[in-house]
Amino acid sequence: MSKKLSVYSTQASHSGQMIQTDAANNFWEQIEYAYHQNISFLGTGGGHGYSATLDTVENGIEIDLGHFNTVFIDKDANTMTVGGSVHFANITGLLYDAGKEFQVGSCSCVGLVGASLGGGVGPYGGLHGLQLDALQSVRMVTGTGSLVNVSATSHPDLWWGMRGAGFNFGIVTSATFQVYNFTNNGQAMSADFRFHASQNASLYEFARSYTGKLPDAFSIDIAIAYNEVFGGTYLFANFIYAGPLEEGMALIQPIIKLGPFDQNITMIPWKDIETSSKFGIDALACIKGNFHSVWGLNLYQIDVPTLIDAVSYMDTVYAQYPDFREAFLAIDMYASRVIESVPDDATAYPYRNAVARFLLDVGFPNSSFATAASQVGRDARSLFVPTSGASTSNIEVYVHYGHGDEGQLGWYTERKLPRLNALKNEYDPNKLFSHYNALEATYDVPK
């Protein structure tokens, strides 16, 4: 059983400057005590995570950072400083009103800091790179109880590791990010389509044709889902283009010619991408307390035959397990030119060369379905492993899409691990922060 602590922040903004009474001082002593007593921690902000390793806290302490929730935007400096528990939903409207934009995530309820520490992918990645690439500094408490400011000039060794594996070393109480002036006056085309399952090959071939050459402002998201109203198994697709509508329409003309049975094409403010695109399914992903078994994999190529097999597989799953009909299997593709322009050795993030990601979310009604859900996820992932294009035999996965069984090599790669493990030994030697796809940890999670 874990004990939960609520930690309060007293940050405020006044006359264009930030005034901060650092609430980290209220608990860094507790972490220092836990370090000496070898009591593990799990810090939670957004409270929205996929990995089964999150369920491994026993006789530990969960630190609820819910009151580290302030946002300060410096329009002149193009920066934003946020508390450790701020969600995407807390920043998008404020940034939009300030005439700024940021790399949005996949769900408005996700914690911004937590997402960025692992990478931070999304449809504006082609314009601004990963969320971690916008990170300028963090204030944090390490696993030894030290309160430190970390940036390129302060603890630069830890700064490297924080950007890609940051949740291994401590709790971030605040972070400062670069933000950006509007692209296309803050407007983007969001195009949603629904297709019959029989049209899947043509849809996936369209995605394959853009492998490695997506325009910076263009993104593709295609998912297999189920709805009896639509005849059972079907596909939905979302295309975001952060540019003029006529340019976006030209890009998706081949999709329109495929003859979707439903579509919604509109220009929306960038701040509404998370909540309005994909026919508004973001709200379902943000419901607290639901049961999910989530599986992911990096893709370095788009193999259309594998995706065709995946449609058939999911059709069988929906027929065999009616309780799994909220499950969806998606691939997302975001432009990579800006992401790959950052040298691989500049950060701990290991997968700048991935062209897409596979994600399967098996929702189910109660814990009695967990074993069957894991079997579905494992079998689906195994379809993609042989044709993923990975250069190693590891199950390579974006750490935030990890199920928990992939291990360190799958999350962080062999080339990053020596340096990361050295940082772990220095900043969290007792492995207090080891409950989320952690370094030097072995998990007994549903396989």
Side-chain angles (χ1 to χ4, degrees):
M1 179 179 294
S2 62
K3 180 180 180 181
K4 187 169 184 176
L5 301 177
S6 291
V7 183
Y8 291 81
S9 169
T10 56
Q11 297 183 39
S13 60
H14 177 69
S15 301
Q17 295 183 352
M18 171 166 282
I19 300 172
Q20 177 172 317
T21 303
D22 200 333
N25 287 312
N26 296 332
F27 71 94
W28 73 266
E29 296 97 340
Q30 298 165 358
I31 295 181
E32 186 177 33
Y33 173 81
Y35 162 66
H36 291 295
Q37 300 299 318
N38 201 28
I39 302 172
S40 66
F41 275 88
L42 177 65
T44 57
H48 182 106
Y50 292 134
S51 176
T53 66
L54 287 166
D55 197 34
T56 61
V57 183
E58 294 183 2
N59 299 316
I61 299 174
E62 177 186 352
I63 294 186
D64 179 0
L65 298 171
H67 294 274
F68 282 88
N69 57 7
T70 56
V71 179
F72 177 79
I73 299 167
D74 188 328
K75 294 173 61 175
D76 295 332
N78 272 344
T79 62
M80 169 181 65
T81 299
V82 302
S85 72
V86 166
H87 301 182
F88 283 102
N90 303 134
I91 68 166
T92 50
L94 293 174
L95 283 171
Y96 188 83
D97 291 343
K100 307 297 179 181
E101 67 187 27
F102 190 70
Q103 158 69 291
V104 291
S106 55
C107 295
S108 61
C109 56
V110 169
L112 168 59
V113 174
S116 65
L117 295 181
V121 300
Y124 272 43
L127 297 169
H128 306 310
L130 301 166
Q131 289 154 12
L132 66 79
D133 294 328
L135 197 59
Q136 294 189 338
S137 66
V138 299
R139 186 165 177 80
M140 64 180 293
V141 182
T142 71
T144 59
S146 299
L147 179 60
V148 295
N149 295 311
V150 184
S151 68
T153 57
S154 175
H155 301 280
D157 56 339
L158 182 56
W159 179 238
W160 177 87
M162 290 299 293
R163 293 172 297 156
F167 29 79
N168 281 281
F169 308 112
I171 291 179
V172 173
T173 61
S174 67
T176 298
F177 294 88
Q178 179 183 359
V179 296
Y180 309 91
N181 295 327
F182 277 163
T183 302
N184 193 47
N185 295 315
Q187 302 293 302
M189 180 196 76
S190 176
D192 293 327
F193 300 93
R194 291 187 175 107
F195 293 89
H196 297 295
S198 60
Q199 296 171 278
N200 70 84
S202 298
L203 189 58
Y204 287 132
E205 183 57 39
F206 176 84
R208 188 206 62 76
S209 71
Y210 276 105
T211 302
K213 54 184 179 182
L214 275 171
D216 290 349
F218 192 43
S219 69
I220 298 173
D221 199 321
I222 303 172
I224 308 162
Y226 184 93
N227 192 311
E228 289 187 2
V229 174
F230 304 143
T233 304
Y234 74 103
L235 283 84
F236 70 84
N238 170 254
F239 304 90
I240 299 294
Y241 182 69
L245 179 61
E246 60 271 20
E247 293 181 7
M249 291 294 293
L251 288 169
I252 62 172
Q253 277 305 305
I255 297 297
I256 295 173
K257 289 179 180 179
L258 292 178
F261 67 81
D262 189 17
Q263 68 181 51
N264 180 37
I265 305 172
T266 185
M267 293 296 292
I268 60 174
W270 79 263
K271 69 181 179 68
D272 295 334
I273 288 175
E274 295 166 316
T275 55
S276 298
S277 64
K278 304 176 188 176
F279 294 102
I281 65 169
D282 172 77
L284 295 176
C286 290
I287 297 174
K288 298 285 187 179
N290 285 0
F291 290 88
H292 297 268
S293 183
V294 175
W295 304 74
L297 192 72
N298 294 341
L299 302 180
Y300 302 93
Q301 62 184 14
I302 301 298
D303 187 77
V304 174
T306 297
L307 288 159
I308 294 172
D309 290 344
V311 176
S312 298
Y313 174 74
M314 291 304 296
D315 191 50
T316 301
V317 168
Y318 295 138
Q320 183 177 355
Y321 298 103
D323 290 292
F324 292 169
R325 288 179 176 174
E326 292 185 0
F328 66 88
L329 188 158
I331 60 164
D332 59 54
M333 295 180 64
Y334 306 127
S336 60
R337 182 187 63 83
V338 174
I339 294 172
E340 292 190 74
S341 70
V342 177
D344 175 71
D345 61 1
T347 68
Y349 182 78
Y351 293 129
R352 293 181 180 273
N353 61 330
V355 301
R357 282 149 297 277
F358 150 83
L359 177 68
L360 171 64
D361 184 341
V362 185
F364 51 97
N366 59 64
S367 59
S368 68
F369 291 90
T371 299
S374 291
Q375 185 67 50
V376 167
R378 181 170 56 253
D379 289 347
R381 186 177 65 186
S382 69
L383 286 176
F384 285 83
V385 169
T387 61
S388 70
S391 60
T392 73
S393 59
N394 304 315
I395 300 176
E396 297 186 358
V397 61
Y398 171 46
V399 67
H400 290 320
Y401 285 7
H403 176 73
D405 65 334
E406 303 89 354
Q408 298 178 75
L409 289 173
W411 304 320
Y412 305 116
T413 72
E414 185 175 4
R415 70 184 187 280
K416 304 283 186 175
L417 276 175
R419 191 172 175 183
L420 284 172
N421 286 331
L423 290 171
K424 185 72 168 177
N425 290 333
E426 180 176 356
Y427 291 99
D428 185 25
N430 286 358
K431 313 300 185 287
L432 303 185
F433 295 95
S434 296
H435 298 293
Y436 182 72
N437 297 347
L439 295 161
E440 300 185 350
T442 301
Y443 296 106
D444 182 18
V445 300
K447 299 295 195 293

